[in-house]
Amino acid sequence: MSDLLCPPSALPVVADAMRLLELVREAPPLTHCITNAVVTGFTANVLLAVGAAPAMVDIVGESELFAGIATGVLINLGTPTPEQRAAGLEAAAGATAAGTPWVLDPVAIGALPVRTAHAQSLVEQRPTAIRGNASEILALAGLSAGGRGVDATDSPDAAAEAALLLATRYGSVVAVSGPVDLITDGERTYRVANGDELLTRVTGGGCALGAVMAAFLGAAHGRRISPLTAVTAATLFYTVAAERAAARSTGPGSFAVAFLDELAATTPADLSGAARVADAGAHVTEVAS
């Protein structure tokens, strides 16, 4: 990127990312995932490779209880069966009551009515973070009809206003995934330019990032590390590992294996050397709600 305000390794968020990665590996955060059937196994393997402890608890009657036990929670709407929808509402309530940070991933909302209504019910419970592609973030903010299923038809910059609106309205960190990820809490915005196109060629590449965000938020909880910093750190770590995996891959199949290896092998020092992060600074204009 050409608009970096200072060398990436000098940004405090990079140092915090290095520290959070150490914390995740020192005390594996118990990460409660209600996620879609297509990516459950991949997401669990990603969390294990990172150093976290996955728990795929999506049973009504258990989800609320487990959300209070967990370190972080992910609610992903990729395959929102009636059971998962009820479990997700339970988990959001349980996480809120216990003070457990939680992430909402509003997969493919907009044109699809069941998951769109469910996403609106969940966002009203004020998730710690919201992660999605640009089309999903625009749809959640009510500014578009969404993309083409799980595929974005909009760029992260096109969703910048929607991200600010959601962050301001719900007090959430909003992460818009794309070639350059945009992450904001409504007051400050970071852009992360790491990553590789092969992430979009593997099922679960975006969904598993939401789980890693939940793990990093859990590791940061109770420490002097903001949710904005934790989500940015998770994004940086995940995308640096993707770059390292892509450099030794020949296609999506070899990338998927190499990516798990690099999630386990990437060190805090690797983040410092590879980070491409821009701090867009504080926002001085209000976003209409």
Side-chain angles (χ1 to χ4, degrees):
M1 298 180 66
S2 61
D3 59 345
L4 292 174
L5 303 183
C6 61
S9 60
L11 288 173
V13 72
V14 177
D16 287 331
M18 296 166 67
R19 177 59 180 147
L20 276 172
L21 180 55
E22 291 176 345
L23 290 171
V24 166
R25 290 173 174 166
E26 289 171 2
L30 179 59
T31 308
H32 175 191
C33 299
I34 297 176
T35 193
N36 73 77
V38 181
V39 305
T40 302
F42 183 74
T43 300
N45 284 335
V46 162
L47 286 171
L48 288 169
V50 170
M56 321 312 268
V57 180
D58 60 359
I59 298 173
V60 174
E62 293 183 353
S63 294
E64 182 172 1
L65 173 65
F66 203 86
I69 297 170
T71 313
V73 175
L74 167 68
I75 302 175
N76 174 296
L77 308 189
T79 53
T81 63
E83 176 93 0
Q84 276 206 341
R85 296 200 301 274
L89 291 170
E90 278 191 7
T96 300
T100 306
W102 66 284
V103 177
L104 172 64
D105 192 336
V107 177
I109 68 163
L112 299 173
V114 172
R115 70 186 66 222
T116 301
H118 185 48
Q120 292 296 340
S121 297
L122 285 166
V123 78
E124 292 293 336
Q125 298 197 46
R126 304 175 71 86
T128 312
I130 302 165
R131 190 221 73 86
N133 64 40
S135 297
E136 291 159 351
I137 296 303
L138 282 161
L140 189 63
L143 300 182
S144 86
R148 189 184 63 182
V150 298
D151 295 330
T153 54
D154 301 278
S155 70
D157 280 341
E161 179 183 354
L164 288 171
L165 189 155
L166 290 169
T168 302
R169 181 181 294 167
Y170 299 110
S172 306
V173 174
V174 181
V176 188
S177 296
V180 177
D181 294 271
L182 183 152
I183 304 150
T184 185
D185 63 357
E187 297 181 359
R188 181 170 293 275
T189 296
Y190 290 107
R191 295 173 186 268
V192 179
N194 295 95
D196 192 90
E197 189 268 342
L198 280 171
L199 266 177
T200 67
R201 304 283 302 281
V202 174
T203 299
C207 294
L209 174 55
V212 175
M213 288 177 181
F216 272 61
L217 282 164
H221 189 57
R223 305 177 189 273
R224 293 184 179 179
I225 301 175
S226 70
L228 174 64
T229 296
V231 171
T232 305
T235 303
L236 174 61
F237 165 66
Y238 195 82
T239 53
V240 166
E243 286 183 346
R244 288 163 56 89
R248 60 187 185 90
S249 302
T250 58
S254 57
F255 172 78
V257 175
F259 184 46
L260 291 176
D261 288 344
E262 290 299 339
L263 287 168
T266 298
T267 66
D270 293 328
L271 300 186
S272 177
R276 298 199 303 278
V277 182
D279 182 348
H283 298 289
V284 295
T285 57
E286 293 185 359
V287 176
S289 58

